[in-house]
Amino acid sequence: MAVPVRADAARLSPVEFASAEHAAAFIGARCLDDGPVGQVGLEIEAHCFDLDNPLRRPDWDELADVIASVPALPGGSRITVEPGGAVELSGPPAAGPSAAITALLADRAVLRAEFERRGLDLVLLGADPVRPTRRVNPGPRYRAMEQFFAASGSAEAGAAMMTSTASVQVNLDAGPREGWAQRVRLAHALGPMMIAITANSPMLGGRFTGWKSSRQRVWGQLDSARCGPILGADSDDPASDWARYALRAPVMLVNTPDAVPVTNWVPFADWADGRAVLGGRRPTEADLEYHLTTLFPPVRPRRWLEIRYLDSVPDALWPAVVFTLTTLLDDPEAAAIAAEATAPVATAWDRAAQTGLADRRLQNAAVTCVSAAAERAPAELTESMALLTRSVQEGRCPADDFADQVVGHGIASAMGQLVKGEL
């Protein structure tokens, strides 16, 4: 019996990478799954506000107490808390966008009802407009991330990203291997247009920033090696692109097992090649997997495609947004329309975040793409799709509506109405 025991111990012992090339092969072999499209997973983040005092940030114990009392969610979503106290619902994969939307709407209704019973509300905005940045989640990973951002000279942007931003995230199958390059290119090309459509964060820290999506602006202030797009318009090998991106990105944290920040610039390739030593060793597969979770590109391969560039938008709108994005990627005819429509604005990330649909080329792309999705939408999404269609035709995004309320009634009144669900 001794031989199998020794064999199991050897199999389970961490294997260190011999080189960056070895690590690249590991990434490339595992980053995307070959298979059909159709599954949709959704995640939605909402800022938690006190109904009577929107300037107060609920603390960790308060949030944990409320979440512990939430009844079973009908759609099976997982509840987590972001560093600044935003509450995230992560739904399981569903067969298509309609099923995923229905399940997440049901879970959000149950979750929000429990929070409201405790005098709190979960507000869908791309960025917290009024409260100063402050971490409430005591997790060691987030504490170490703060230290990393401070050491890298991006403490302010890092704190805003961690504690003041919120998104709707769409997870889609990678699709058949032969179509990966085209599919990943389109997922990136859709980014600027979808940012313009969903821009919903004109304020941060109590003031207008001059950007329709301050959330996207914050991400743009962090280092592009960790948060920028993975590829350009002409890439034909997304697995190799992701491996190259991941190896060039600096190591943020070493899990030993607590998260330890790396306060100097060490590309993962240097650690794997032995040019730098972290934790007294070369990296293992577990270290590489952990490193990949600290990279935040707008489209992240995780065997599936994790699409991360949407602002959190109101309940009346996000179902149509999710259906539109999914349809433009999963429906072949709609994808062809989208590829042509978005080509002129495929790299206009900053312009989209700053101007929203006030940019005529972004609006033209949005009208074409949303129309293609609306033609394919099921009856239960008629109202939400009509709202989205009207918004893009008028060249407006959610940030415009919120800004109008603030200018017309003042930030205190606008926040009070928003938190009480009157906007």
Side-chain angles (χ1 to χ4, degrees):
M1 295 293 292
V3 173
V5 170
R6 285 198 298 271
D8 287 346
R11 179 177 59 82
L12 294 174
S13 61
V15 177
E16 296 179 359
F17 287 110
S19 66
E21 184 179 4
H22 184 195
F26 179 87
I27 296 170
R30 292 163 173 79
C31 68
L32 295 173
D33 282 344
D34 182 12
V37 302
Q39 291 192 109
V40 179
L42 300 179
E43 302 175 31
I44 190 164
E45 297 167 341
H47 301 285
C48 184
F49 284 96
D50 186 317
L51 286 166
D52 295 324
N53 181 10
L55 294 179
R56 185 180 77 85
R57 189 183 292 270
D59 63 26
W60 175 253
D61 290 339
E62 185 177 3
L63 293 169
D65 183 57
V66 178
I67 290 171
S69 67
V70 174
L73 298 179
S77 293
R78 182 168 56 97
I79 306 170
T80 54
V81 180
E82 296 298 303
V87 179
E88 180 178 53
L89 279 176
S90 301
S98 294
I101 290 165
T102 298
L104 197 63
L105 281 170
D107 287 353
R108 178 161 156 77
V110 172
L111 183 70
R112 193 175 182 190
E114 184 60 29
F115 271 76
E116 288 177 348
R117 192 174 70 82
R118 303 295 193 94
L120 304 171
D121 194 18
L122 300 175
V123 175
L124 300 176
L125 276 171
D128 186 328
V130 290
R131 296 178 298 193
T133 59
R134 183 170 68 85
R135 179 173 60 87
V136 300
N137 189 323
R141 173 182 168 95
Y142 299 130
R143 182 171 61 250
M145 287 176 68
E146 282 182 334
Q147 295 171 316
F148 171 87
F149 286 127
S152 64
S154 54
E156 184 177 351
M161 179 274 284
M162 292 172 62
T163 70
S164 296
T165 63
S167 70
V168 174
Q169 185 172 296
V170 182
N171 302 310
L172 302 177
D173 291 314
R177 182 182 299 271
E178 63 271 16
W180 282 354
Q182 182 180 7
R183 185 167 173 79
V184 174
R185 278 199 302 270
L186 181 56
H188 281 78
L190 289 169
M193 179 199 70
M194 294 303 302
I195 287 170
I197 287 173
T198 62
N200 190 32
S201 45
M203 297 184 68
L204 189 65
R207 65 181 182 86
F208 285 105
T209 64
W211 292 62
K212 299 293 179 72
S213 176
S214 300
R215 173 185 176 274
Q216 185 66 24
R217 183 196 185 201
V218 164
W219 283 103
Q221 291 172 329
L222 298 171
D223 66 85
S224 60
R226 164 164 276 103
C227 302
I230 294 171
L231 47 75
D234 299 326
S235 173
D236 60 3
D237 186 358
S240 294
D241 289 332
W242 178 228
R244 185 162 47 248
Y245 182 102
L247 293 175
R248 290 175 177 174
V251 181
M252 173 184 273
L253 310 172
V254 176
N255 205 16
T256 61
D258 290 332
V260 176
V262 179
T263 55
N264 53 330
W265 188 278
V266 179
F268 194 93
D270 287 1
W271 191 14
D273 277 333
R275 290 191 294 270
V277 177
L278 301 175
R281 54 178 170 74
R282 289 198 185 194
T284 65
E285 292 180 358
D287 290 316
L288 179 51
E289 294 281 10
Y290 191 72
H291 172 64
L292 296 178
T293 71
T294 70
L295 306 181
F296 310 111
V299 180
R300 183 165 67 175
R302 295 192 64 187
R303 299 190 181 271
W304 60 90
L305 296 182
E306 186 180 80
I307 300 174
R308 306 170 50 86
Y309 44 61
L310 305 173
D311 273 14
S312 195
V313 295
D315 284 313
L317 195 60
W318 69 255
V321 168
V322 166
F323 182 84
T324 295
L325 179 59
T326 303
T327 299
L328 296 179
L329 281 162
D330 283 3
D331 182 288
E333 291 183 2
I337 293 170
E340 181 178 358
T342 58
V345 293
T347 59
W349 298 90
D350 283 351
R351 188 163 76 251
Q354 187 163 22
T355 67
L357 293 174
D359 181 281
R360 182 52 60 88
R361 294 199 302 169
L362 285 162
Q363 186 194 10
N364 288 342
V367 168
T368 299
C369 289
V370 170
S371 295
E375 292 172 359
R376 295 161 171 81
E380 63 267 23
L381 290 180
T382 297
E383 188 174 344
S384 187
M385 285 302 309
L387 176 61
L388 180 61
T389 299
R390 184 167 62 251
S391 295
V392 298
Q393 288 175 344
E394 294 174 353
R396 293 177 64 84
C397 57
D400 297 314
D401 297 330
F402 181 66
D404 285 351
Q405 289 293 327
V406 173
V407 171
H409 304 284
I411 183 62
S413 174
M415 283 304 302
Q417 289 181 280
L418 183 71
V419 170
K420 290 179 171 61
E422 296 169 2
L423 286 184

